[in-house]
Amino acid sequence: MAAPVTTVGAASEGADGDGAPSRVAVLLPLPLGTAYDYAVPEGLRLGEGDFVQVPLGQRSVIGVVWGPGQGDVAAAKLKAIEHRFDAPPLPELSRRFIEWVAGYTLSHTGSVLRMAMSVPAALEPPAPVILYQAAEIQPAEARLTAARRRVLAVLADGPPRAAREVAMEAGCGQGVVKQMADQGLLETVEAVAEARPPVPDGNRPGPALEPDQDAAATALRRAVADGGFTVTLVDGVTGSGKTEVYFEAVAAALAAGRQVLVLLPEIALSAQWLDRFEARFGAPPVIWHSELTPAQRRRNWRAIAQGRARVVVGARSALFLPYPDLGLVVVDEEHESAFKQEDGVIYHARDMAVVRAHLGGIPAVLVSATPSIESVVNVEAGRYRRLHLPERVGSAAMPVVAAIDLRRETPPRGRFLAPPLLDAVRRTLAAGEQAMLFLNRRGYAPLTLCRACGHRFECPNCSAWLVDHRLRHRLVCHHCGFEGRRPAACPVCAAEDSLVACGPGVERIAEEIDLDLPEARWSIVASDTFGGPTAMAALAEAMASGETNLLIGTQVLAKGHHFPGLTLVGVVDADLGFNTGDFRAFERTFQLLHQVAGRAGRADRPGRVLLQTYEPDHPVLRALVADDRDGFVAEQIATRRRAGLPPFGRLAALIVAGPDRAQADETARALARAAPQGPDITVIGPAEAPLAMLRGWHRRRLLVKTSRNAPLQRLLRDWLARVRVPNAVRVAIDVDPQSFL
Ligand code: ADP
Ligand code: ZN
């Protein structure tokens, strides 16, 4: 349905024959695949994309006029539209994008629409406010006190203002302002206070760019100026100034008067990014992520829909906002798996950003120091263009990376830091520099067991161990959030003092540092103990002042942050990600460790990275130590090509889940029996998912693999149509799966 915005409904008189009400199709933000017909009351003019309120059963819901009525319901049975919102219509491009995403991910169109209209309250204009201005004719009889004179001075030659503002500036109470209005000294006006986000200035000069940066920036500026769909991969080492480079593309889009969307994987933690943006453009961007307050969401959604928000920076959900005039999409850290949404509508925001750019005929810019294999292959195939930044800005050199072979350098019993690493940290701190210990595990220990009977503490709702969070005195499930106290005795054999913590988490590393390096001033940085932009800003400050000199953290530390004094990075367990049963495990581990390593030596002092490993000959470790990213990537590409794995073949996963084990099993088997067949189709499973139980639901998986050009969506649709799924069982479809849990 690609019709331009036209007037449909009441204006197209007589579409249903003489006297019959005309009708339109309205899509509701519910798990529904099609739009429903509604009658248009006389006198209501509607256009495609208009937001309307309609009855549905006993309820009243907000939907979007999706097109002309389909006529499948008798006119007499049609219910009437209740109300049309005075808000900009959902743009035609947004509607096409929603349909495209629904088709690709095999989701209900209504479920995708729901992501675009997640803030129904934003459809109503904000409540009017009362503003005050000086009356044109001042009543002669009113007495002018000093406070009243100050109020008049404040309002002398400005726009009307709110009582609170005037009172504050005039140094009096609000009562003074209101009384002046009662006595005719001030007049009131009602105004709808739409948020006017300050406009970032695309014409402010940026920093003087290094030659490589300059060449890349020029190419991006041209892509924006020329317009049209292009995808550019900005591939540059950490610290090469990629952000400044894509800021130039943002500047070009702003200068052209168009909207810009920048997607970041961890928006909530990107205080440094926001500061840099404001320093470059003189105003902050409009932010979109799940931690906004309802009032902020409402304001920002309206500003975006009305085109007043010029630059939006957000998490993946920002992709579905109703931009009337998007001119550029940037995806920073494009390789990040955080761009994949794993529940509800399962989609990859990087890939859908490229689709959005294609539909809109605008440039997309993907940015990374360790681009995904998919993007590299797209560059090699000539579909994407690549801009390369091989060197760090200024005098900073790339850090030197070395492995510590834990088979030879064994930490003492009960400890996890090998002597050479501990020694390196000690010396770094003694020299007044700073260090980071990286371990991608929250809490104290990933497993607690009973030494007497071997009992392991597992989540009652999930097939997962409970993680010991000692700072909170809790055993916690990282999948469902279940929490319990660590008991004094084993709940199975009743042995006392028999529970032991197995393996390290960041809290345990901190404990070890307290024992062996009491002079260190550490901070733990993990997503559960550390929240939001304020915490990150406080951390940056503590690092700048030297109050903290050792960071102990998980992957929240891996990206984006720039700590000039940080010269040593120690990776506690470099092998952690190898055995996840995921064909991207090596790629992921390489990206993560490379990113972590990139935190070291970003200013004038050289950086050093030490990787603790039991497998120093592993291809990932060898590539990191030899700084041979391209060799590693070439090897991964060859392996994928041979195995027909993405991006050389296509994958989709079916995850069958239900509260009843037998029913989940039976559905999974029925799906397997009905599986599509063909020379280039392989179906694997059903098998228990690695997370065989999650939140009390039993989970089974099937995986279908096809050639690159197979009509995967059609195959899946036909397949599902052949199987009857019981009401209590869910079948989730994950096209291009990133997670295999
Ligand atoms: P990347 O995103 O590639 O890791 P950044 O864009 O964060 O790199 O840049 C690294 C550091 O170098 C930042 O502190 C940034 O402000 C600084 N920087 C980038 N480009 C320049 C430049 N042309 N001149 C001076 N400093 C720069
Ligand atoms: Zn659980």
Side-chain angles (χ1 to χ4, degrees):
M1 195 215 66
V5 181
T6 49
T7 304
V8 294
S12 51
E13 253 352 301
D16 277 33
D18 287 331
S22 70
R23 55 172 80 205
V24 291
V26 174
L27 185 66
L28 304 175
L30 299 169
L32 302 166
T34 57
Y36 291 162
D37 277 9
Y38 282 91
V40 181
E42 202 153 334
L44 184 64
R45 284 177 69 88
L46 290 175
E48 287 182 11
D50 278 348
F51 289 93
V52 289
Q53 183 109 29
V54 296
L56 180 77
Q58 301 302 309
R59 293 190 292 161
S60 183
V61 275
I62 301 172
V64 173
V65 176
W66 213 250
Q70 291 140 350
D72 50 356
V73 177
K77 286 197 169 169
L78 279 188
K79 293 201 174 153
I81 287 176
E82 293 165 354
H83 172 65
R84 173 188 169 283
F85 289 88
D86 186 15
L90 188 66
E92 198 242 343
L93 257 172
S94 292
R95 285 178 277 134
R96 271 167 58 202
F97 182 50
I98 287 166
E99 295 204 326
W100 200 99
V101 173
Y104 189 83
T105 59
L106 279 90
S107 307
H108 296 298
T109 321
S111 301
V112 184
L113 173 65
R114 192 191 174 93
M115 302 196 290
M117 46 183 293
S118 54
V119 201
L123 295 171
E124 303 274 18
V129 290
I130 305 217
L131 303 180
Y132 295 83
Q133 62 189 11
E136 213 151 300
I137 302 160
Q138 293 282 320
E141 69 277 15
R143 208 165 49 84
L144 276 184
T145 61
R148 288 180 167 195
R149 263 192 229 109
R150 287 201 302 276
V151 167
L152 288 175
V154 165
L155 287 171
D157 40 31
R161 294 163 73 176
R164 198 170 52 89
E165 255 180 75
V166 178
M168 192 138 53
E169 217 168 298
C172 62
Q174 291 185 41
V176 175
V177 178
K178 288 177 183 160
Q179 209 176 39
M180 286 172 74
D182 291 343
Q183 297 183 3
L185 286 162
L186 300 182
E187 286 167 355
T188 58
V189 282
E190 270 202 8
V192 173
E194 292 280 11
R196 305 219 159 260
V199 178
D201 180 359
N203 293 316
R204 273 164 71 112
L209 298 179
E210 309 264 333
D212 285 333
Q213 281 181 306
D214 197 45
T218 305
L220 288 184
R221 277 184 168 276
R222 192 168 310 132
V224 173
D226 291 351
F229 171 64
T230 49
V231 185
T232 307
L233 175 67
V234 177
D235 173 2
V237 299
T238 51
S240 60
K242 298 184 289 297
T243 315
E244 300 304 333
V245 167
Y246 74 70
F247 276 178
E248 295 304 302
V250 174
L254 279 173
R258 307 200 63 184
Q259 285 178 300
V260 177
L261 168 63
V262 180
L263 292 178
L264 298 182
E266 305 267 342
I267 171 71
L269 294 173
S270 300
Q272 283 188 340
W273 191 97
L274 295 173
D275 289 346
R276 281 174 69 180
F277 184 93
E278 193 163 347
R280 173 70 180 79
F281 295 107
V286 168
I287 300 174
W288 191 262
H289 59 77
S290 57
E291 282 156 46
L292 295 182
T293 64
Q296 287 171 323
R297 295 177 80 73
R298 189 175 164 199
R299 253 197 325 269
N300 292 358
W301 194 95
R302 276 187 83 79
I304 290 161
Q306 295 176 341
R308 285 179 280 111
R310 311 307 305 175
V311 180
V312 179
V313 58
R316 57 193 180 221
S317 59
L319 197 52
F320 292 93
L321 294 168
Y323 306 95
D325 186 27
L326 194 61
L328 171 69
V329 190
V330 178
V331 185
D332 201 352
E333 311 283 8
E334 66 90 27
H335 62 278
E336 270 295 325
S337 52
F339 283 122
K340 184 73 189 282
Q341 168 142 317
E342 298 286 2
D343 45 34
V345 177
I346 301 178
Y347 68 95
H348 199 303
R350 176 203 54 220
D351 298 346
M352 295 308 112
V354 171
V355 170
R356 178 64 180 75
H358 186 242
L359 290 176
I362 58 171
V365 178
L366 311 182
V367 183
S368 178
T370 50
S372 62
I373 300 282
E374 282 80 357
S375 293
V376 174
V377 170
N378 277 324
V379 168
E380 287 177 357
R383 287 185 287 269
Y384 294 179
R385 114 176 244 204
R386 172 179 183 246
L387 299 171
H388 191 208
L389 301 173
E391 271 158 44
R392 284 191 161 179
V393 170
S395 57
M398 290 307 287
V400 176
V401 182
I404 295 177
D405 186 344
L406 290 175
R407 294 168 308 184
R408 290 200 200 110
E409 305 280 358
T410 314
R413 228 183 118 70
R415 302 281 165 93
F416 301 92
L417 303 177
L421 179 54
L422 204 54
D423 201 45
V425 174
R426 180 180 293 118
R427 284 193 215 189
T428 301
L429 303 190
E433 298 176 1
Q434 296 171 331
M436 171 194 296
L437 289 172
F438 176 80
L439 175 61
N440 206 10
R441 261 205 199 128
R442 293 185 277 139
Y444 182 85
L447 167 66
T448 302
L449 62 74
C450 169
R451 206 174 0 201
C453 74
H455 170 68
R456 296 164 173 221
F457 284 77
E458 267 187 81
C459 176
N461 315 314
C462 306
S463 18
W465 294 333
L466 292 176
V467 178
D468 184 356
H469 282 254
R470 218 156 266 195
L471 295 177
R472 286 194 283 142
H473 308 288
R474 282 282 186 277
L475 297 176
V476 181
C477 173
H478 283 184
H479 296 283
C480 73
F482 172 87
E483 294 194 5
R485 266 197 166 280
R486 187 179 199 263
C490 173
V492 175
C493 73
E496 306 231 353
D497 292 326
S498 68
L499 304 185
V500 283
C502 298
V506 284
E507 291 177 11
R508 197 168 194 177
I509 299 301
E511 182 184 81
E512 188 170 331
I513 289 293
D514 275 344
L515 293 171
D516 293 331
L517 278 180
E519 71 272 26
R521 300 183 297 275
W522 53 260
S523 285
I524 291 179
V525 186
S527 57
D528 58 332
T529 54
F530 189 85
T534 6
M536 193 43 96
L539 179 73
E541 201 151 298
M543 287 290 278
S545 72
E547 185 190 325
T548 293
N549 61 3
L550 175 63
L551 299 175
I552 303 172
T554 63
Q555 61 180 7
V556 296
L557 270 185
K559 29 187 171 275
H561 313 294
H562 186 62
F563 301 114
L566 190 88
T567 55
L568 174 71
V569 167
V571 174
V572 176
D573 185 352
D575 310 334
L576 195 55
F578 290 153
N579 299 312
T580 56
D582 174 345
F583 73 95
R584 291 190 183 87
F586 293 4
E587 178 191 359
R588 288 268 162 71
T589 307
F590 181 87
Q591 286 163 341
L592 181 61
L593 296 184
H594 187 278
Q595 204 90 47
V596 174
R599 301 304 110 206
R602 286 167 67 96
D604 44 2
R605 282 171 287 187
R608 192 147 77 104
V609 180
L610 295 172
L611 308 168
Q612 295 199 135
T613 174
Y614 284 98
E615 299 180 65
D617 291 326
H618 194 286
V620 168
L621 272 301
R622 284 217 309 262
L624 287 165
V625 170
D627 190 19
D628 183 21
R629 185 198 82 180
D630 292 346
F632 171 76
V633 167
E635 210 177 289
Q636 290 296 303
I637 290 176
T639 310
R640 299 250 188 114
R641 184 178 272 127
R642 271 197 306 276
L645 285 166
F648 302 101
R650 308 192 61 195
L651 290 181
L654 267 54
I655 302 112
V656 181
D660 182 78
R661 185 191 181 112
Q663 221 177 20
D665 274 330
E666 180 41 45
T667 309
R669 279 197 298 269
L671 280 164
R673 285 193 298 271
Q677 290 180 349
D680 58 358
I681 303 173
T682 316
V683 175
I684 304 160
E688 275 197 355
L691 260 173
M693 186 138 105
L694 179 63
R695 296 187 187 91
W697 281 37
H698 300 269
R699 300 169 78 246
R700 306 291 179 264
R701 293 184 69 103
L702 294 108
L703 188 68
V704 54
K705 183 174 141 205
T706 71
S707 63
R708 195 179 135 77
N709 298 317
L712 182 61
Q713 277 74 11
R714 208 184 67 216
L715 286 172
L716 290 167
R717 220 170 273 127
D718 294 348
W719 182 5
L720 290 163
R722 291 193 291 270
V723 179
R724 211 193 63 78
V725 177
N727 277 340
V729 176
R730 297 265 156 75
V731 179
I733 302 163
D734 184 356
V735 176
D736 309 331
Q738 295 278 321
S739 161
F740 296 83
L741 284 180

